[in-house]
């Protein structure tokens, strides 16, 4: 018989790790219908008839965020057979607040007290038997990290689902219970009995979503409002605050008999670490060192060694294996196609288009896997949350919230999930500002572009990647100052509140899984979007109008690529890269940033250039000056994001006007930054002065004015004007 298990719990409670243990590889990811919130489902590892649904991490079932709406809608409408409520054993009081809400739903609930290994190390004591008696539902001690207690948890969940016995709700105060009974009797006659208390509580808390679900008449609504007003007047507080207080008081009573903390007043290990890591004086230097190490190792050392082998060996001339010479992919495939008498145009398509384009990008995959590994490691150990906390102090001065940094950190892997993560920001102004600026942070797709220019122009120097990352952060901060002084973005930032989870040793399996998921997603993109883009670039490079008709171009100069690129190249000439090859690569980068590398792989990777295994880097070094090449890097890092990211911006903004503004702002900002860099760099280093130098100075002056002008929309200034 098929069963459904729902996993519910707070963020950072170990819910995802448990989900991976329960389902193994039998899982699939999508979005909840109509909502850009990730939906994870899978079948139980040893029982394919049991479906496990991983609900978004939430702190409550109040409908304030998309995650909370998704979780409560699923639990109320779809009615799973049993809820496994994952509870962080190191922070029981905060986690059990959600548990009290889940017990109101009339569904079987099993409490999984996670991180028992950390609880035991700390010397704290959790009596699961007494906790079960107090909460009136099964309680199982587990450690998802150590994979202990999982079988017992599955057994208890299976028994609870079969018995269909829901725990009794945790009672509120007598006055609250009387108000609940009155509302249930007045308006909930047609509601299923197991959901009456749930909806009565929601109505008492003035939950608009519950009112819509129940289709309450206007007369009944007025009577309910009168009951709530009478209740609040008698209790001297808002109903929502009263119920929250009742729940925490009940949680405190539950813990008095089941939890014993060894050191009630001493600092935990995480607190001691945070005294240094999040301190006002050391937080930013430590963060800078951490990010430097991440990018240094990913791009310059470990990642670079494997990438060099991939570029020079697999997609280059070849490599030595136990004394035997193994030809690279282009040579091996080329020899086979030549021996099979394959048509020359098809050979060119495969070698120059597909292998030359996609191979140029895949060569950088090792660096990306190393980067994703470090980011997953920082996330798993709990440092990611500290970074957001640390950066709130900085971001607030620039018109942003600390919550903005979380999407930007996620965006360092891929801009799309980073943009989607902005939905957790409640304030519309902060959310729009974050959506617009998140794509400035170099994502994984831009890493090959950075590495390519670093190798071509600077001999693979270690400092190029950190500078590129710093450039993205500076673009965010400058944009924050400029945009917050405009009417459409003016106003104060919302307060920043978030939980700092306890530090823990990362589970290698979880880190490896997260790394693989991000890296494989990039490889799949290389096999689809980049493949199609490479074929397109090959086509416009290999064909052109010759003697009045379309045919194979004798050279690149007569190809469609030269014609198209030459038509738009003048736009980039003031930036130092006004050639048609750069124009084609830049335009293709709007489809996917990796296409810049694949386009160069096609444009500079024709057979006559790669016959001896020559790299694109050597061709680029001859093609660009240092100023022009770095100016192109600046423009492509800061300009409008890829099509997928634009789609994400459109979905999150829900407005064509705001989407076009975001794209336009990125493009104008990137053009201004590249213009100032190249023109002033040419003046300082080469003494070149012209009309574009004057324009660059005017653009710089305009930027300084936008940064320095008074903020007429700041809340403090508004209050001062009002008082005057």
């Amino acid at each position: 018989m098929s069963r459904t298990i729902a996993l519910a719990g707070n963020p950072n409670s170990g819910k995802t790790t448990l989900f991976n243990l329960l389902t193994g590889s039998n899982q699939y990811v999508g979005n909840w219908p109509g909502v850009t919130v990730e939906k994870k489902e899978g079948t139980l590892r040893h029982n394919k008839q049991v479906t496990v649904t991983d609900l978004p991490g939430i702190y409550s079932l109040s409908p304030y965020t998309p995650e909370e709406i998704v979780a409560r809608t699923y639990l109320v409408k779809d009615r799973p057979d049993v809820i496994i409520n994952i509870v962080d054993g190191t922070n029981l009081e905060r986690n059990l607040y959600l548990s009290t809400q889940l017990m109101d739903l009339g569904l079987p609930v099993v409490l999984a007290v996670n991180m028992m290994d950390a609880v035991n190390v700390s010397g704290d004591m959790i009596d699961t038997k007494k906790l079960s008696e107090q909460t009136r539902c099964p309680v199982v001690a587990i450690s998802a990290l150590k994979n202990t207690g999982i079988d017992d948890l599955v057994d208890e969940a299976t028994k609870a689902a079969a018995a269909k016995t829901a725990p009794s709700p945790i009672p509120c105060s007598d006055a609250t219970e009387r108000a609940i009974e009155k509302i249930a009797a007045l308006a909930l006659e047609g509601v299923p009995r197991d959901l009456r208390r749930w909806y009565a509580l929601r109505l008492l808390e003035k939950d608009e979503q519950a009112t819509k679900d129940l289709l309450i008449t206007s007369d009944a609504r007025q009577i309910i409002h009168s009951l709530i007003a009478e209740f609040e007047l008698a209790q001297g507080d808002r109903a929502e605050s009263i119920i929250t207080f009742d729940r925490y008081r009940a949680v405190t009573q539950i813990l008095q008999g089941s939890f014993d903390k060894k050191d009630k007043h001493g600092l935990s290990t995480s607190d001691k670490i945070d005294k240094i890591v999040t301190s006002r004086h050391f937080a930013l230097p430590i963060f800078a060192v951490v990010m430097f190490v991440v990018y240094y190792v990913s791009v310059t050392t470990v990642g670079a060694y494997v990438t060099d082998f991939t570029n020079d060996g697999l997609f280059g001339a070849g490599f030595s294996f136990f004394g035997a010479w193994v030809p690279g992919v282009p040579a091996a495939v080329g020899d086979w196609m030549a021996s099979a008498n394959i048509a020359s145009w098809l050979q060119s398509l495969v070698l120059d288009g597909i292998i030359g384009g996609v191979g140029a990008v895949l060569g950088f995959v090792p660096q990306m896997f190393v980067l994703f590994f470090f980011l997953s490691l920082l996330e798993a150990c709990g440092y990611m949350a500290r970074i957001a906390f640390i950066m709130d102090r900085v971001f607030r001065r620039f018109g942003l919230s600390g919550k903005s940094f979380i999407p930007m950190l996620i965006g360092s892997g891929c801009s799309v999930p980073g943009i989607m993560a902005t939905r957790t920001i409640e304030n519309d102004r902060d959310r729009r500002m974050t959506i617009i600026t998140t794509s400035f942070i170099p994502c994984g797709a831009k890493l090959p572009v950075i590495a390519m220019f670093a190798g071509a122009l600077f001999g693979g120097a270690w400092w190029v990647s950190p500078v590129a990352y710093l450039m993205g952060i500076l673009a965010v901060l400058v944009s924050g100052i400029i945009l917050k002084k405009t009417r459409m973005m003016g106003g104060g930032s919302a307060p920043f509140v978030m939980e700092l989870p306890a530090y823990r040793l990362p589970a290698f399996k979880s880190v490896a899984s997260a790394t693989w998921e991000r890296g494989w997603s990039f490889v799949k993109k290389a096999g689809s979007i980049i493949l199609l883009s490479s074929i397109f670039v090959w086509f416009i490079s290999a064909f052109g109008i010759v003697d009045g008709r379309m045919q194979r171009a004798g050279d690149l100069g007569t190809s469609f690529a030269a014609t198209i690129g030459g038509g738009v190249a003048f736009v980039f000439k003031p930036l130092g890269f006004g050639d048609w090859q750069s124009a084609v690569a830049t335009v293709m980068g709007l489809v996917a940033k990796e296409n810049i590398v694949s386009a160069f792989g096609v444009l500079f990777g024709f057979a006559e250039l790669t016959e001896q295994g020559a790299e694109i880097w050597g061709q680029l070094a001859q093609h660009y000056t240092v100023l022009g090449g770095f100016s192109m890097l600046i423009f492509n890092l800061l300009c409008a994001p890829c099509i997928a990211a634009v789609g994400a911006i459109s979905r999150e903004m829900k407005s064509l006007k705001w989407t076009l503004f975001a794209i336009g702002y990125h493009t104008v900002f990137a053009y201004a930054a590249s213009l100032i860099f190249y023109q002033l760099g040419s003046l300082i280093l080469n003494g070149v002065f012209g009309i574009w130098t004057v324009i660059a100075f005017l653009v710089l002056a305009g930027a300084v004015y936008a940064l320095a002008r008074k903020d007429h929309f700041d809340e403090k200034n508004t209050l001062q004007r009002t008082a005057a």
Side-chain angles (χ1 to χ4, degrees), residues 420 504 583 609:
M420 290 168 60
R504 58 179 69 97
L609 296 180

Side-chain angles (χ1 to χ4, degrees), residues 97 101 172 176 180 200-202 204-205 231 238-249:
Y97 179 83
Q101 291 185 320
C172 297
T176 304
I180 292 171
L201 273 164
R202 301 275 69 78
L204 185 57
E205 290 183 319
F231 171 71
R238 293 184 303 112
E240 187 177 4
S241 299
I242 295 167
I243 294 171
T244 300
F245 177 78
D246 286 346
R247 291 192 187 279
Y248 273 115
R249 182 172 57 187

